[in-house]
């Protein structure tokens, strides 16, 4: 009976999910939350504070999901909570410009030298959708190149999968996306420069833009090979195509100036989201002034949003970026995450479980494989059964990682040394039970 305490009851979550299923498709408002990737039922969350998240059964977990990226300061950071409260008291939305929007836009421009002007929107999906419309308008071309395994939100042009041959037109990856729309996107493997060159040759003078996560983080974390981003930059320059960096995850995550700062590459258009909203719905699309000035009301590219630049979201954003721009946040995140990465590696070695850790700053993936993971094909060869068993074991021990083998672990400034030590201990126990799934 010694283990009774660690065997968590999830009965309230189970019945909450059953009730939600009656009214919400699949019981969730975003598919990955359903825990389908780990053959389980989701936890319903009551609250979160710092590095900890609490389910409605009263269980506490060390949280490595961080709302899928936004919560870099940890949950319910006092400065962010205060900013939200103060803004809410002054009215939730006006549909008119406010001073705080300009403040935020200026901070974004100062952090990203490639961004001269920026438009605030409410989701990453909108940001990328607008980036593509801008790229098409500016270049007077229609085709988009996207990399397999990168996610750019759920707009039609980007819910596509590779066509039959290399550099062929894509096919819809979701029902309801017309093949005619998918046809305007070319899907090629990430980290594959030959494929990128071939796509430009095959579709000479037709490519409007490459859209890419400069550090792929929606197939687990897959960093760019050395020289990859620079060569994409050169290809775009030679072919008069726009380079769109989707930094919705990496922006303000791997450095204040995102992957662009880390690798010294400038995108033409940058998409931001997740972190910049401080946990509220806020995202942004920014870039060269000439491109951004094509937006309505001064240019011919239409884009709008009733809640864009919403005062409460903007307040949370300003408070979050103020904290991130001071002190040595990114050094701290680097140290914490490197400690976790080393701990996981050692723990796996002790238990004789082959893993590969991919990590950039506070983005980390633990892949169950003994081969390097450089693109989506590699990710698909990793041992998903081991991942599922690992997820379940970790959850039992109070560690909440993303319920999908294709998602990163996100560290926050609130994760303590003790949190990381507990996580590594739990991982070592979890690895122990994985050999039967190899
Ligand atoms: C999450 C994400 C998006 C979509 O953002 P939403 O706010 O969920 O619409 C786009 N691109 C990347 C890289 C993302 O990780």
């Amino acid at each position: 009976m010694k283990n009774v305490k660690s065997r968590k009851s999830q009965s309230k979550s189970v019945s909450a999910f059953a009730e939600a299923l009656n009214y919400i498709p699949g019981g969730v408002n975003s598919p990955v939350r359903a825990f389908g990737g780990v053959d389980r039922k989701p936890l319903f969350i009551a609250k979160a504070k710092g590095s900890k998240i609490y389910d409605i059964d009263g269980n506490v977990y060390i949280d490595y999901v961080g709302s899928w990226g936004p919560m870099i300061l940890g949950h319910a950071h006092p400065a962010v909570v205060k900013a939200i409260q103060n803004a809410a008291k002054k009215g939730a939305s006006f549909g008119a410009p406010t001073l705080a929007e300009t403040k935020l836009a200026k901070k974004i421009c100062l952090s990203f030298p490639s961004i001269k002007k920026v438009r605030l929107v409410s989701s990453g999906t909108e940001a990328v959708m607008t980036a593509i419309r801008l790229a098409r308008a500016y270049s007077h071309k229609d085709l988009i190149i996207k990399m397999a395994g990168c996610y750019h939100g759920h707009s039609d042009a980007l819910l596509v999968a590779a066509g039959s041959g290399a550099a062929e037109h894509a096919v819809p990856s979701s029902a309801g996306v017309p093949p005619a729309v998918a046809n305007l996107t070319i899907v090629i493997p990430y980290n594959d420069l030959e494929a990128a060159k071939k796509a430009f040759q095959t579709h000479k003078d037709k490519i409007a833009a490459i859209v890419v996560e400069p550090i792929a983080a929606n197939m687990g974390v897959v960093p760019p090979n050395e020289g990859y981003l620079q060569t994409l930059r050169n290809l775009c320059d030679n072919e008069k195509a726009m380079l769109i960096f989707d930094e919705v995850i990496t922006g303000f995550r791997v450095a204040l100036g995102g992957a662009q700062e880390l690798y010294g590459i400038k995108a033409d258009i940058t998409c931001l989201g997740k972190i910049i909203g401080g946990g509220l719905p806020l995202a942004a699309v920014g870039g060269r002034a000439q491109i951004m000035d094509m937006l309505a009301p001064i240019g011919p590219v239409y884009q709008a949003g009733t809640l864009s630049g919403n005062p409460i979201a903007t307040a949370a954003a300003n408070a979050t970026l103020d904290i991130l721009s001071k002190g040595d946040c990114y050094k701290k995140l680097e140290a914490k995450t490197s400690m976790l990465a080393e701990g996981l590696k050692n723990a796996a070695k002790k238990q004789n479980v082959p893993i590969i850790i991919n990590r950039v700053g506070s983005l980390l993936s633990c892949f169950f494989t003994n081969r390097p993971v450089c693109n989506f094909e590699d990710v698909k060869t990793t041992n998903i059964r081991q991942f599922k068993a690992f997820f379940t074991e970790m959850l039992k021990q109070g560690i909440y990682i993303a319920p999908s083998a294709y998602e990163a672990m996100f560290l926050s400034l609130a994760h303590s040394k003790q949190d990381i030590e507990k996580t590594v201990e739990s991982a070592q126990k979890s690895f122990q039970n994985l050999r039967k799934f190899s």
Side-chain angles (χ1 to χ4, degrees):
M1 292 303 281
K2 250 195 341 223
N3 276 332
V4 164
K5 247 182 141 180
S6 69
R7 206 178 303 129
K8 298 169 187 301
S9 161
Q10 286 155 5
S11 60
K12 284 186 185 163
S13 277
V14 170
S15 37
F17 187 51
E19 172 74 351
L21 282 170
N22 292 325
Y23 306 104
I24 299 176
V28 290
N29 284 311
S30 198
V32 75
R33 294 180 197 171
F35 276 37
V38 287
D39 307 329
R40 296 177 63 86
K41 293 193 171 125
L43 300 180
F44 274 56
I45 302 304
K47 62 175 183 178
K49 175 77 188 159
S51 62
K52 308 289 191 320
I53 194 160
Y54 300 78
D55 69 16
I56 58 173
D57 286 283
N59 303 306
V60 57
Y61 305 87
I62 302 173
D63 179 26
Y64 290 98
V65 181
S67 186
W68 307 89
M71 309 316 299
I72 194 166
L73 304 181
H75 294 281
H77 188 287
V80 179
V81 172
K82 199 168 144 220
I84 291 171
Q85 285 171 335
N86 287 341
K89 280 186 212 149
K90 294 181 189 163
S93 184
F94 317 124
T98 58
L99 293 171
E101 288 162 84
T102 311
K103 267 194 198 156
L104 177 58
K106 194 169 169 184
K107 280 175 205 163
I108 294 170
C109 292
L110 288 174
S111 303
F112 284 77
S114 71
I115 301 182
K116 298 299 179 210
K117 291 194 180 175
V118 58
R119 169 111 350 139
L120 303 179
V121 296
S122 299
S123 70
T125 297
E126 277 178 83
V128 186
M129 191 177 78
T130 302
I132 283 174
R133 191 173 299 146
L134 277 168
R136 285 174 166 156
Y138 187 81
S139 68
H140 301 285
K141 295 186 274 190
D142 287 343
L143 300 186
I144 302 292
I145 294 177
K146 143 182 212 300
M147 315 305 169
C150 285
Y151 177 67
H152 304 290
H154 62 97
S155 66
D156 283 355
L158 296 163
L159 281 187
V160 297
S164 46
E168 287 306 313
H169 299 271
V171 296
S173 63
S174 161
V177 172
V181 174
N183 204 39
L184 296 176
T185 306
I186 315 296
V187 177
I188 60 173
Y190 187 76
N191 268 332
D192 185 340
L193 285 172
E194 285 315 306
K197 287 176 195 163
K198 175 136 191 264
F200 273 109
Q201 278 162 12
T202 310
H203 307 283
K204 188 83 192 140
D205 298 327
K206 290 189 182 143
I207 308 284
I210 293 179
V211 55
V212 63
E213 290 180 75
I215 300 160
N218 279 289
M219 47 173 142
V221 179
V222 181
N225 290 342
E226 207 178 327
Y228 179 62
L229 298 174
Q230 183 60 57
T231 308
L232 293 183
R233 178 67 275 174
N234 298 346
L235 275 173
C236 284
D237 289 342
N238 294 341
E239 305 289 337
K240 296 197 166 44
M242 303 292 102
L243 182 60
I244 302 173
F245 273 3
D246 181 350
E247 297 226 40
V248 167
I249 283 185
T250 53
F252 298 101
R253 164 64 63 180
V254 295
L256 204 60
Q260 301 182 47
E261 179 182 325
L262 211 60
Y263 299 109
I265 313 273
K266 281 187 178 177
D268 297 299
I269 307 175
T270 300
C271 304
L272 298 167
K274 299 201 165 103
I275 285 175
I276 60 164
L280 271 73
L282 191 146
V285 52
R288 286 158 47 194
Q290 246 186 340
I291 301 174
M292 294 309 295
D293 282 342
M294 293 195 75
L295 283 178
I298 50 174
V301 176
Y302 195 70
Q303 186 278 336
T306 301
L307 294 177
S308 291
N310 169 269
I312 302 175
T314 303
N318 274 317
T320 300
L321 298 195
D322 283 348
I323 293 168
L324 288 175
S325 62
K326 279 189 218 114
D328 48 1
C329 293
Y330 293 96
K331 265 196 199 139
K332 284 184 192 148
L333 286 166
E334 171 70 28
K336 287 173 200 288
T337 318
S338 137
M339 180 184 165
L340 177 61
E342 288 313 306
L344 290 175
K345 272 184 215 165
N346 291 336
K349 207 170 182 181
K350 277 186 199 145
Q351 301 297 350
N352 219 0
V353 175
I355 61 163
I356 292 281
I357 301 267
N358 280 3
R359 179 179 80 84
V360 183
S362 56
L363 285 172
L364 180 149
S365 269
C366 175
F367 291 110
F368 291 93
T369 177
N370 51 16
R371 294 205 310 247
V373 179
C374 304
N375 61 34
F376 194 43
E377 285 305 308
D378 296 339
V379 174
K380 284 194 281 188
T381 66
T382 63
N383 188 329
I384 304 293
R385 288 174 64 223
Q386 275 187 336
F387 172 80
K388 287 180 187 177
F390 180 66
F391 172 87
T392 300
E393 289 294 326
M394 290 295 268
L395 200 66
K396 269 190 212 160
Q397 294 179 60
I399 315 290
Y400 188 73
I401 61 173
S404 160
Y406 301 118
E407 303 287 348
M409 286 172 82
F410 296 97
L411 264 77
S412 80
L413 285 162
H415 285 81
S416 66
K417 192 159 173 259
Q418 289 86 327
D419 288 335
I420 293 167
E421 282 165 359
K422 161 129 205 297
T423 305
V424 170
E425 265 169 47
S426 306
Q428 190 165 329
K429 281 185 210 148
S430 304
F431 287 141
Q432 201 170 16
N433 298 323
L434 291 191
R435 265 168 279 165
K436 57 178 177 282
F437 297 104
S438 57

